[in-house]
Amino acid sequence: MIPLLALLIRARWAGLLTIGVLTGVLGALAAVGADFPGHTGDRLAADTIADAPLAERQFRLAADSGDSSNFETQLNRVRDTPGLTVRFGQQFDVMGFVPNDASTLMFREDFCAHLKLTAGRCPVAPGEVAVPADEAKSLQVSVGSVLDVAQALYDDKYNMWYPSPEGSHPFDVVGVYTPIDQGEDYWGWPSPFTTQLDGTVVGPLLTRSDAMQAVPHDSHLITADVLVEPPLLSTMTWQQFLEEILQPKLIEPPSDGLPTLLNRVQDQRRYVAIATPAVVLPVLTLGCLVLFLLVSRQVQRERGELGVQAVRGLPMPLRWALGAGAPLLLALIGLVVGASLAGSPFTTLVGLTALAVTFAITVAVLPIVVARPVDALRQVGPAWAARLRQLPAGEVALVALAVTSLAFVRTTEGLGNFAPALLAAAMVLVVARVLPAVVRAATPRLLRAGRLVLGLAAAQLGRRPAARQLIALSGLAVALLALVASSLATSRVVRDEQIALSVGADRVLSVRAADPGQVIAAVRSVDPEGSFAMPVGRISSETRHPEILALDLGRAAQLDWDRADAVAAQIGPKLTVRPPLSKSVSVTVTATPLDGVVNPRALLLAQVTTADGRRQTVTMGSPTAGRSTLTFTLPAACDAGCRLDAITGVAATGAGWRLSLEQLGPYADISTWRVVGTLEKAGTWKLTGSGLLLPPEVPEALPAIATPGLDVDARRMDLPLSGGSLKLTQVGEAPVLPRVGDTGLLVDLDTLIAATGGAHSLDSMEVWLTASAPASVTSALQAKGVLVVGSVSRTEARTAAARSPAALVLQLFVGATVVAWLLLGAVLLAVARVDRGSPDLGALRLAGLRDRTLRGSSRLAYAIAVLFGVLLGLLGAGLAWALARSVLPITSGETWLGVPAVPPALPVLVPVGVGALALLAVTWLAFARRTH
């Protein structure tokens, strides 16, 4: 039997080689699909961990020094755990270094190796200390100085630090240091170092562990910063870390940080593990259908030989070996070789693919092998096989699966993940079953009309089972291509939109300054034309309002946001800019005491902003009964002019003044200035407690653009102010806001500062830069006293997006689609090769039809089959997109605008059109060779 199989392989090597190559490709795809989730998950985990802040890669054990024995026991358990790096430390607040302020006296194991000593040495004995260089310079402390160190206590009533009455201890300054890298993992989180606005690095006083007890104090904090090494982070889920490391060691788990990171890594692994089968299995299934079609066409061509063997009495097992042995042997060899080249053949997916390949070849050979000898000689299949082909059992089962999968689409797991492929396949296969019958009914009419070539093509499409299968395969391949092209194009659109909105500008600098106005003044000085830089403020969400984004809308033209101009128009024009104040200012006040109190205590204060944006409070004076003039001198910082933001009044509660402020140079009459939180004006101001007086041009309610569903006015959102609050009023709506998302408010930065008298503190400040911003802008801002503490850019965001789970799965989707089209091209060539010598075409040649006519009809039949497949594929992909696009690998992160209902047309139609032309070229070339 083996020699006979060898002879069969030798005689039919071309067809069998095609089968071997095809299954080799399937084996390679199966091996890649099996390896992809683990390999890609490891890659994602490594990238995520490398980009994670220290706060997410460590946890801290802390205890009071009074509980040191229990802490030491717990610490020893942690030190014995592989993959955990522990840094022990002790600290408490002391006085004696910075006048009237507290510093931290700290010990941290092995701290000398992480310092750069600018003078002296590291402490080696009790009573020695190393001090931070910047502070030492400003305080004129050097090596040899002696610090009298006492425990620092805080008085909540007076908001001040004071030394403990228990006593102090002298420390010799033996070293002056700067940290080698104040942000390195060694120092833990939060870092003991802070950088002031002027660039000064503030740090702890570092000493030996045994020196801590020298200072009289009640207790101190003992800590252990536990850094989890990347290999441990990448291999464990949070639940595993909790159950295998923390709970056995009786460690209280952290509520955030580390669990956030491990859950994020686990979510990425889960996404890839769920999405990969939905990409690979449809292509493997398509490959098995291609294999079935290829083997069945070849066996149909050889059924006469199998019939002769049956007449001669060859037993059924031997006939099975002759019919299926050679293709099955070559298929399994190709499968193993392909899987070995791409990965490992010993995986579950490769094993399942081998079973599917065996099943496809068996089903293709079965009707011929089991046919009666006389039917095989007559090249007629068994009647049951013909009846079975007429039953739409496969289509009914596929439609049922597709409908069922829709119920699981929202879960993005299980069957729901296969919904796009099932929906597209169901539509293609159902229509492909009906089409040949329609074509077959039209064939006689075409022939009677004398359209010979078209009629013969229609006859081939209507009579041959391979025609329906070819239409179905073409449709499935086109649907796959359309879906991957739609996913690619939409992913690019969604990614660019999300990055544009989430980043806000080409580059965003996180900055710090003494006052928000300082950032505004610095930006306007660096970019006076408003062409490339914009100051931006942010207020965090709280119960009274959601997150607020404050933009300098006078520079809205530089925003890369399609709603920027409309938003600026809705919020309204900029406020009137008042002339700056002179050095000496006077105000005319008429005052009447309330409730008969004689000369109650009160004080008027002017809130001014200097030319460089610094906020100053200037004492105007105390009102006296009757009409008087208060004259006050502005500080030297106002030599270049100061803007008056507000007037603040402070008086004893219940015993204040009835004030009438009239003249204030150079603003003339100020009696119309408005008292915040009341209907009063400066001319009729009842001052009790505290009050805030604002210019009349400042709106009573701050105009805001809101995201949908906030109901700003109905919920009475406001900002707290001295003596009242600032009401927020909605003047427009935007689906999303840059840097904020789909829940928040947008206001004008200048209007916010004016409406709060310059007093409302912004939680963070940013500077948004366009692509044309010069590289020197960072140094220029720092020269103006604005400290740049971080930055993010759209380029960095795009790089990160290219490493996202969805992007990596989409790359696999593209590769799998290329494989599907290569398989389709191969089977088209192979089937056309078999059909060139089919008996019906031979009979027509004997009847006198020219070979050119027959070749033209065959080409036309295949071209029509391809075009039908293209149309069905586009319809199937459209149905899958409409109902199940949410499970396609378009995005794996937050998408503020969602996935578009319609993908971009051109990026989808171009690859489909190119693919269709390639298939048409293949059909043309397949029949270029004459058959005699």
Side-chain angles (χ1 to χ4, degrees):
M1 193 62 198
I2 294 178
L4 187 57
L5 279 176
L7 290 173
L8 285 173
I9 294 174
R10 180 181 178 184
R12 300 163 188 164
W13 67 270
L16 295 175
L17 180 62
T18 303
I19 292 173
V21 172
L22 188 152
T23 54
V25 173
L26 292 182
L29 181 59
V32 170
D35 179 66
F36 187 81
H39 177 76
T40 304
D42 291 342
R43 175 182 170 187
L44 287 169
D47 290 343
T48 301
I49 293 167
D51 294 339
L54 179 59
E56 294 184 341
R57 294 183 285 113
Q58 72 146 50
F59 62 94
R60 170 169 284 187
L61 306 178
D64 189 87
S65 57
D67 191 28
S68 58
S69 58
N70 292 333
F71 182 83
E72 186 175 353
T73 302
Q74 194 176 59
L75 182 61
N76 291 332
R77 294 195 195 107
V78 175
R79 286 190 189 275
D80 294 337
T81 305
L84 300 181
T85 300
V86 182
R87 300 294 183 185
F88 173 74
Q90 303 178 66
Q91 65 184 66
F92 66 99
D93 293 325
V94 297
M95 298 194 73
F97 180 48
V98 179
N100 302 318
D101 201 359
S103 302
T104 300
L105 183 65
M106 174 183 287
F107 163 77
R108 194 170 183 86
E109 59 181 332
D110 197 30
F111 67 83
C112 288
H114 301 270
L115 302 180
K116 178 183 178 182
L117 291 168
T118 59
R121 56 173 174 81
C122 240
V124 295
E128 295 181 346
V129 70
V131 298
D134 289 347
E135 289 181 282
K137 181 179 179 180
S138 63
L139 298 171
Q140 297 182 348
V141 174
S142 60
V143 174
S145 299
V146 178
L147 303 179
D148 190 30
V149 176
Q151 182 185 15
L153 302 177
Y154 190 74
D155 190 314
D156 292 321
K157 181 178 179 180
Y158 295 100
N159 296 322
M160 61 177 292
W161 292 94
Y162 65 95
S164 169
E166 297 297 326
S168 60
H169 183 78
F171 275 79
D172 295 325
V173 177
V174 297
V176 179
Y177 75 90
T178 59
I180 294 175
D181 180 4
Q182 68 186 72
E184 70 171 313
D185 292 350
Y186 165 81
W187 293 109
W189 185 89
S191 172
F193 300 98
T194 57
T195 302
Q196 304 286 24
L197 297 176
D198 59 0
T200 299
V201 177
V202 177
L205 309 177
L206 295 172
T207 187
R208 288 167 49 92
S209 175
D210 53 5
M212 303 290 286
Q213 300 300 330
V215 180
H217 63 284
D218 300 329
S219 64
H220 60 267
L221 181 68
I222 51 177
T223 63
D225 289 327
V226 184
L227 179 68
V228 187
E229 299 297 335
L232 198 61
L233 290 172
S234 62
T235 56
M236 301 189 78
T237 65
W238 168 243
Q239 192 63 32
Q240 290 173 329
F241 192 87
L242 188 65
E243 295 175 355
E244 298 177 18
I245 294 181
L246 297 184
Q247 290 178 350
K249 295 173 174 50
L250 304 179
I251 296 174
E252 184 72 21
S255 59
D256 55 10
L258 183 61
T260 302
L261 173 62
L262 290 179
N263 287 331
R264 187 162 70 246
V265 171
Q266 184 182 5
D267 290 342
Q268 292 174 339
R269 288 187 182 275
R270 184 186 299 114
Y271 180 92
V272 176
I274 291 173
T276 299
V279 169
V280 174
L281 290 183
V283 178
L284 291 177
T285 303
L286 182 64
C288 290
L289 292 176
V290 167
L291 183 64
F292 166 79
L293 179 60
L294 181 60
V295 174
S296 64
R297 296 303 293 162
Q298 289 187 352
V299 172
Q300 288 285 344
R301 188 178 185 184
E302 299 159 0
R303 58 187 174 182
E305 299 176 14
L306 293 174
V308 171
Q309 301 297 338
V311 170
R312 290 178 177 177
L314 195 68
M316 178 68 71
L318 295 180
R319 294 209 306 272
W320 268 108
L322 288 176
L328 187 57
L329 178 64
L330 267 295
L332 293 178
I333 291 174
L335 188 73
V336 172
V337 171
S340 300
L341 292 175
S344 171
F346 304 108
T347 62
T348 302
L349 187 57
V350 174
L352 292 175
T353 305
L355 290 177
V357 165
T358 303
F359 178 76
I361 293 176
T362 301
V363 172
V365 173
L366 179 64
I368 306 303
V369 173
V370 302
R372 294 180 303 169
V374 63
D375 289 338
L377 288 172
R378 292 169 55 217
Q379 298 191 0
V380 176
W384 63 265
R387 289 193 298 270
L388 188 63
R389 281 196 299 269
Q390 293 174 358
L391 293 176
E395 288 82 353
V396 171
L398 192 59
V399 169
L401 279 174
V403 173
T404 305
S405 70
L406 286 176
F408 296 91
V409 164
R410 292 188 180 274
T411 66
T412 66
E413 294 187 15
L415 192 61
N417 222 34
F418 294 90
L422 289 173
L423 288 168
M427 182 171 196
V428 169
L429 293 182
V430 167
V431 179
R433 173 169 281 277
V434 177
L435 271 178
V438 175
V439 174
R440 188 163 54 248
T443 300
R445 191 181 309 163
L446 292 172
L447 292 174
R448 285 195 297 269
R451 306 184 70 173
L452 182 59
V453 174
L454 184 58
L456 290 175
Q460 294 180 59
L461 285 174
R463 291 181 66 251
R464 293 179 178 172
R468 187 188 77 202
Q469 296 160 354
L470 186 60
I471 291 173
L473 287 175
S474 301
L476 292 174
V478 169
L480 194 63
L481 178 60
L483 284 176
V484 75
S486 299
S487 299
L488 269 175
T490 305
S491 174
R492 191 175 297 112
V493 170
V494 170
R495 179 200 65 191
D496 290 345
E497 287 179 344
Q498 181 64 24
I499 289 174
L501 287 169
S502 62
V503 177
D506 186 74
R507 187 157 58 106
V508 173
L509 305 178
S510 298
V511 299
R512 289 173 54 201
D515 293 295
Q518 191 176 358
V519 178
I520 298 173
V523 170
R524 291 174 180 172
S525 174
V526 170
D527 178 25
E529 301 298 326
S531 58
F532 61 80
M534 173 186 288
V536 177
R538 299 175 73 171
I539 302 175
S540 301
S541 62
E542 56 177 69
T543 55
R544 303 174 70 155
H545 58 76
E547 183 174 0
I548 298 176
L549 178 73
L551 299 179
D552 183 358
L553 291 177
R555 302 182 173 219
Q558 66 179 252
L559 282 174
D560 185 15
W561 183 34
D562 57 355
R563 300 184 63 87
D565 293 336
V567 163
Q570 286 174 310
I571 286 184
K574 285 285 189 178
L575 300 179
T576 303
V577 179
R578 290 179 172 270
L581 295 175
S582 60
K583 293 183 179 181
S584 180
V585 181
S586 61
V587 59
T588 302
V589 182
T590 300
T592 304
L594 296 174
D595 301 326
V597 179
V598 179
N599 292 329
R601 294 169 56 191
L603 187 66
L604 295 180
L605 306 169
Q607 307 296 337
V608 300
T609 300
T610 63
D612 63 354
R614 296 179 184 271
R615 188 167 174 267
Q616 301 272 338
T617 299
V618 182
T619 301
M620 300 173 67
S622 296
T624 57
R627 183 181 177 89
S628 62
T629 300
L630 300 178
T631 302
F632 57 97
T633 302
L634 296 176
C638 290
D639 288 349
C642 278
R643 182 186 73 238
L644 178 61
D645 294 320
I647 296 175
T648 303
V650 182
T653 304
W657 293 88
R658 176 76 66 180
L659 301 178
S660 176
L661 279 68
E662 301 169 7
Q663 300 290 326
L664 175 70
Y667 299 154
D669 185 12
I670 63 168
S671 61
T672 58
W673 282 39
R674 178 174 52 83
V675 180
V676 172
T678 71
L679 298 177
E680 299 172 355
K681 304 294 184 180
T684 56
W685 185 8
K686 182 181 178 181
L687 177 60
T688 60
S690 62
L692 185 67
L693 199 63
L694 296 177
E697 67 269 16
V698 175
E700 295 186 20
L702 183 63
I705 303 296
T707 52
L710 287 183
D711 298 327
V712 176
D713 296 286
R715 292 167 59 183
R716 299 181 179 180
M717 295 182 182
D718 61 5
L719 293 171
L721 290 179
S722 174
S725 63
L726 173 62
K727 179 183 176 183
L728 295 163
T729 182
Q730 183 173 340
V731 296
E733 185 174 280
V736 295
L737 300 177
R739 299 284 286 173
V740 173
D742 54 6
T743 304
L745 301 175
L746 184 148
V747 300
D748 178 63
L749 180 59
D750 285 338
T751 306
L752 170 66
I753 292 176
T756 59
H760 197 284
S761 59
L762 295 161
D763 294 312
S764 62
M765 289 291 293
E766 298 172 341
V767 177
W768 292 9
L769 303 175
T770 67
S772 62
S776 60
V777 67
T778 299
S779 57
L781 288 172
Q782 291 178 332
K784 298 290 183 180
V786 176
L787 183 65
V788 178
V789 295
S791 69
V792 63
S793 70
R794 287 177 177 169
T795 301
E796 295 169 348
R798 291 188 189 97
T799 302
R803 304 197 312 264
S804 68
L808 297 176
V809 171
L810 198 52
Q811 292 176 12
L812 179 65
F813 200 4
V814 173
T817 303
V818 172
V819 169
W821 274 76
L822 292 176
L823 295 177
L824 180 61
V827 76
L828 196 61
L829 283 171
V831 172
R833 177 176 173 273
V834 174
D835 285 348
R836 282 202 308 264
S838 60
D840 51 0
L841 292 180
L844 291 173
R845 289 190 187 90
L846 291 176
L849 288 179
R850 293 183 301 172
D851 188 63
R852 179 179 179 182
T853 301
L854 294 176
R855 282 190 289 115
S857 66
S858 296
R859 280 174 171 166
L860 185 58
Y862 275 76
I864 293 174
V866 169
L867 293 177
F868 275 148
V870 171
L871 180 60
L872 289 181
L874 288 174
L875 292 175
L879 177 66
W881 181 269
L883 299 180
R885 62 181 177 274
S886 61
V887 298
L888 290 169
I890 297 173
T891 177
S892 53
E894 185 180 12
T895 304
W896 290 345
L897 292 178
V899 177
V902 179
L906 196 61
V908 177
L909 295 178
V910 168
V912 170
V914 171
L917 290 176
L919 290 180
L920 291 174
V922 169
T923 61
W924 182 271
L925 295 174
F927 290 93
R929 178 182 172 187
R930 294 176 178 271
T931 302
H932 300 288

